[in-house]
Amino acid sequence: MFKKVLIANRGEIAVRVVRACREMGIASAAIYSDADRAALHVSKADEAYPVGPAAARESYLNVAKIIDVAKRCGAEAIHPGYGFLSENAQFARACAGAGIKFIGPPPSAMELMGSKTRARTAMHAAGVPMVPGSARGLSLAEAEEMAAKVGFPVMIKAAAGGGGKGMRLVKAPAELKSSFETAQSEAQRAFNDGEIYLEKFIEDPRHIEIQVLADEHGNVVYLGERECSVQRRHQKVIEEAPSAVVDQDMRQRMGAVAVQATRSAGYTNAGTIEFLVDAQRNFYFLEMNTRLQVEHPVTELVTGLDLVQLQFRIASGEKLPFRQEDIGLRGHAIECRIYAEDPENNFFPSPGKITRLLRPSGPGVREDSGVYQGWTVPLDYDPMLSKLIVHAADRGAAIARMRRALDEYFVGGIKTNLPLFRRILDHPDFVAGRIDTGFLDRLLATPATAVSGANTLADIAAVSAALFAATAPHKNGQNAGARIGVDSRAQASTWKRMARSEGVRKE
Amino acid sequence: MFKKVLIANRGEIAVRVVRACREMGIASAAIYSDADRAALHVSKADEAYPVGPAAARESYLNVAKIIDVAKRCGAEAIHPGYGFLSENAQFARACAGAGIKFIGPPPSAMELMGSKTRARTAMHAAGVPMVPGSARGLSLAEAEEMAAKVGFPVMIKAAAGGGGKGMRLVKAPAELKSSFETAQSEAQRAFNDGEIYLEKFIEDPRHIEIQVLADEHGNVVYLGERECSVQRRHQKVIEEAPSAVVDQDMRQRMGAVAVQATRSAGYTNAGTIEFLVDAQRNFYFLEMNTRLQVEHPVTELVTGLDLVQLQFRIASGEKLPFRQEDIGLRGHAIECRIYAEDPENNFFPSPGKITRLLRPSGPGVREDSGVYQGWTVPLDYDPMLSKLIVHAADRGAAIARMRRALDEYFVGGIKTNLPLFRRILDHPDFVAGRIDTGFLDRLLATPATAVSGANTLADIAAVSAALFAATAPHKNGQNAGARIGVDSRAQASTWKRMARSEGVRKE
Amino acid sequence: MIYEVTIAEKTYRVELVRTGEQWTCKLDGREFPLDVVSLQAGDLSLLLDGKSYEVKQENAGPEAAVVVGQERFAVAVRDPRSFRSRRRAGGDERGPRKITAPMPGKVVRLLAEVGAHVEAGQSVIVIEAMKMQNELKAPKTGVVKKINVAKGAAVEAGQSLAEVE
Amino acid sequence: MIYEVTIAEKTYRVELVRTGEQWTCKLDGREFPLDVVSLQAGDLSLLLDGKSYEVKQENAGPEAAVVVGQERFAVAVRDPRSFRSRRRAGGDERGPRKITAPMPGKVVRLLAEVGAHVEAGQSVIVIEAMKMQNELKAPKTGVVKKINVAKGAAVEAGQSLAEVE
């Protein structure tokens, strides 16, 4: 096993990998930009080295600098996390060139799957079911032609894209040009590659993906599926395992296709095959993510495995410690991605200082966080704060548990999307498992309903707001030092005991 | 299912039960003493009612008051947690008398098992293996006689005892009198019952217990064992599941005995049969705990079940939703009991205000806590703050995970036993599973070894202490407002970048 | 102390009287039995008729908010003697027809010119931040009266970028 | 600023110079490269030769302590200009031969009388707190010189209960 691993990432995934290193006795080396000196992953790692200015291109995407740091600090391997350089084949090659193990697939497989167009061709050849569309990059003119052929609506995608960036749904010919250009410029910015292709848009599909693990000795297994249909702007918001619509038979068929795709790509380490599933439960290859997924914890909870630790074992040349038949799924897991964004304001990012952070705990609750109370969320990167994941005996219990966990979660100082999750988890369609990639947009199109008992709650809010104002520490004048009693004994005044017993009587 | 449940307890277990209620859609009613108005279980519950002064006898042990509150607030059932009234048959009878369901076994079974002496007689009759000793309460004279018969060392126990209270090991005749009297007065104080009995002391036994669940339709299952051998003064400190010495065959034999004991006692709901296991892996009945155990989470993690939710289902008349053959154990779980006590000062309780609380999270980590940052731990009750529980694929991975979780755990303002756990988890005997009830005393008899690299750490401690002093907010004089830079960008000064690159070179 | 607290257009008159550690409270004249303790700064435990409420203070953006249980209430607290709070109270009124930057970022495209007619909801400006492009839409149907920024400009949160009239 | 920090009988001389947000540091004369940021009050992130250390301030009991990574260090900080800190530094010295109550509780039994000979480690007083009885032992072999409390008395943390000489 490696003695030291450099983690070429930041935020919750860097912390996640540091934890895996700590548990395996591997020294962890973090990197940080000038914006991240005080970030959680820096203080949690055994070592930390600066790699440049805040702008990702000059730090977390700075291949030469990162390789240099890895060599200087004696790291034997680099874990790329997700995003940033995790799907960058040149980076993987640079690691190999520097004698450092890249913890992920071989560059060839990354390139094949990294190009959506080449991947489509290869998967098509491997007999993997595909959505009709172009198998290569298109000019605007070609795109218009192809769109006419397969018929609107169509989906425009960046060949180098991922995470919804450089991706646009086009419902009518008139919208094609501006969407094409927006996607192209976004892709150029995000991936430095403006290649765009086009596919028939499947109405209200489910997004279901299969986790695979492949060692470097030819063993490939699948770890069941993840249902990722709750999305906004093609960004996953909630993921769960297993899927409400996948039975054992469908799981085996999807798994077999995923394993076949993995083998045919010469793929190793952890990977994910994403499928679109239509209303008849037909599944079509969407893309392969050649890295650890954000949502890997739901698979960890239902399988009882630690995917990051397995990534280390595979990368260090070990064989998979189990076979397909050893893998069982127990219970149901759900993940919510907590973002610093304002649900009341079109989900715009809401960076800033976290003044309060109350985190859920107790049975079946896991939080993978990249932040802490007092941390100022920088503008410069993806606004995900943490992932809240629950595990329970079945889907109903998991939903109830997630509601409970969300009730315990509080972030002060910045806006987050926490309120959105409560709406989703209370929605009858979600509870019934009737979800597809259009579910969240439909939900957001309907106004949030007022809560029952809102009047009492509003009264309490009003009184509390006054109390906070009256006891604010910075407050001057005659209220200075006004405090709400904290000594509980001092609270047991006569009139309050009276009020309480009245309360009891009123029950 | 019940609409409202009153929780006749405090601290982490009250919060644990509130969470189960929330997840099952049951309204939770908390009770609190004057010392606990600001306690976590009060703010987390849906309702909360005062039951009297700080002294437990006047509040949490006040049967009449608690029943009265339950009736007034319309609770259909009462969950007693552990400790306090959880094993008090009169309380269970009072609940029944008031038409309130007591969530636990019938009073008759509590009384039978609650009296160690009657329990011994009954279990003996049921063919359960026993440790030689007295089957009934003894006078001092009788105790001396019995001790002479079975031979020293002997164990003196309070018939009504539990949790090590009123329990004393006596190694020689000379110690018998004072130990007998101490145990008796302690038992009188704690349980208002001075009955004392005596048993042959098994040298260095393991303490292994079996969790059972019995519904009210005659179905009884066992949920595997818990190894609780790491104890100090007969108080469990670390528990784990499964035990390193229990194989499937032994598990089935212990389980069969436990189920037999449960049936013969007419027992229902959750219970635990404690066994002593000697070096030859013979097991002897120790006692039955007629309530939920502190350490129930390790069983929940390896079985994937929620014991508190199952307690509710059983109490509301449902049948067990599974049979023995449906129950499987996955992975390994370990629990550490975090106490407000000073390991450097003979583990005396260390109540006070929690000024900082940093809690572990991430993969496989669960915390069941009864406290929060800013809470002042009262003198009046058991000093347990929370339970830290981890789950991983095997025992080795679980130990590594617990070490990692402990590294993330920080409690400021009061002393805790956190440092003790690091010593235990690093001890080769614990790592090898060579533990018995004498393990911890032996460990504590040897001085803690200094850490490697202590010099550098001490340098850093010295510099940091000076920095804390220099930047202390209350500090007056010319240092007023001195601050350590928090804006990371401001940190990237030339000389520091230099220092860093030197650092890199030194690697 | 007397405060005027505005929540969703409704204004409450909250009268607090403190005697030692004790508070008594009148809400719009009604006696409001107050059993409250501070758990930590910005976090209250409040008991009312036996019901337990945890109330947390959230300070996001210009307007304050409190969270009661899971319900979030935007609040504007006005101390009749205070001046500053009057401005904050204004923060809750209907906004102007401006297009403002909801967070710091960079203007990557302008989709309309001054004088152009725009439909309500039509995209006018695209800003990029945290690697996401976001289209800022016209708050109403009308004519673009002003555009205060150029393509490529860095903008601050709350900065007025354009006006539609 | 100059501080004398005592850790396990060793005293360090720490010289801090602050220029704006920057700190430079000398430890016993050695230049100590200081790359430090405050994560939150009482919590520092410190980088030294690339190694990352999180340092937390713990204030338990009379003596201060800092935790570096997982290692806890009892520290006595002495500001040569400060008076108060001199007393705190004293807190780290060897204690007297007193038997003191380590926490508040109630005396439930006295196991020796004034004038009695006791062996080191022999129980002298039993106090009960949090429902646990704890036997306070003689710190040394000798004669019980004083007993300051009676059975049933409530005692405070740190209170001197008896003396052995």
Side-chain angles (χ1 to χ4, degrees), chain A residues 18 107 128 201 221 276-277 281 310 322 338 354 393 506:
Chain A
V18 166
V128 175
F201 176 66
V221 298
L276 288 182
V277 177
R281 296 167 69 233
L310 286 164
F322 41 69
I338 317 296
I354 297 172
K506 285 187 192 128

Side-chain angles (χ1 to χ4, degrees), chain B residues 356-367:
Chain B
R356 282 291 295 293
L357 186 59
L358 302 178
R359 301 157 64 199
S361 56
V365 174
R366 164 177 171 180
E367 191 198 9

Side-chain angles (χ1 to χ4, degrees), chain C residues 95-100 137-139 146 148 158 160-164:
Chain C
R97 280 7 191 158
K98 286 178 179 169
I99 299 176
T100 56
K137 302 187 188 313
K146 269 206 263 167
N148 309 325
S160 166
L161 308 181
E163 258 179 70
V164 178

Side-chain angles (χ1 to χ4, degrees), chain B residues 444-468:
Chain B
L444 291 171
T446 64
T449 53
V451 285
S452 62
N455 291 343
T456 312
L457 294 184
D459 288 352
I460 288 168
V463 170
S464 302
L467 280 165
F468 285 128

Side-chain angles (χ1 to χ4, degrees), chain B residues 243-459:
Chain B
S243 164
V245 294
V246 175
D247 57 20
Q248 191 51 30
D249 166 68
M250 184 175 177
R251 182 171 298 123
Q252 277 166 8
R253 286 186 291 115
M254 293 180 82
V257 168
V259 167
Q260 162 62 14
T262 305
R263 286 193 193 285
S264 69
Y267 192 93
T268 61
N269 214 290
T272 296
I273 317 277
E274 297 187 331
F275 295 96
L276 288 182
V277 177
D278 66 20
Q280 294 70 43
R281 294 168 70 235
N282 304 308
F283 53 90
Y284 306 98
F285 173 83
L286 183 58
E287 63 178 37
M288 181 172 196
N289 292 309
T290 61
R291 51 164 165 86
L292 188 68
Q293 296 280 85
V294 174
E295 59 270 25
H296 72 276
V298 295
T299 298
E300 293 184 316
L301 287 168
V302 294
T303 59
L305 303 172
D306 187 308
L307 293 187
V308 177
Q309 293 193 21
L310 286 163
Q311 284 190 293
F312 283 132
R313 299 197 182 288
I314 290 168
S316 67
E318 295 183 22
K319 289 186 171 163
L320 284 175
F322 42 71
R323 288 150 311 167
Q324 189 64 54
E325 56 269 35
D326 303 325
I327 294 158
L329 306 184
R330 171 190 276 180
H332 195 93
I334 302 177
E335 169 178 283
C336 293
R337 299 187 185 191
I338 316 297
Y339 277 90
E341 57 187 20
D342 183 356
E344 292 171 11
N345 190 0
N346 196 26
F347 295 93
F348 277 120
S350 166
K353 180 167 183 171
I354 297 172
T355 55
R356 282 291 295 293
L357 186 59
L358 302 178
R359 301 157 64 199
S361 56
V365 174
R366 164 177 171 180
E367 191 198 9
D368 280 21
S369 172
V371 302
Y372 57 89
Q373 181 171 311
W375 165 242
T376 298
V377 180
L379 282 180
D380 311 271
Y381 313 109
D382 179 87
M384 187 165 75
L385 301 176
S386 88
K387 303 180 307 199
L388 178 58
I389 315 105
V390 299
H391 186 220
D394 55 48
R395 188 170 189 267
I399 291 172
R401 179 156 284 171
M402 180 60 87
R403 282 201 199 102
R404 189 268 295 174
L406 289 165
D407 290 352
E408 295 179 12
Y409 210 135
F410 178 76
V411 181
I414 60 174
K415 301 276 182 69
T416 72
N417 59 349
L418 281 168
L420 170 67
F421 295 115
R422 303 204 176 93
R423 283 188 68 188
I424 295 171
L425 293 173
D426 290 342
H427 195 286
D429 285 348
F430 182 84
V431 172
R434 289 190 302 265
I435 47 177
D436 57 60
T437 55
F439 162 76
L440 186 48
D441 291 337
R442 292 194 299 273
L443 178 145
L444 291 171
T446 64
T449 53
V451 285
S452 62
N455 291 343
T456 312
L457 294 184
D459 288 352

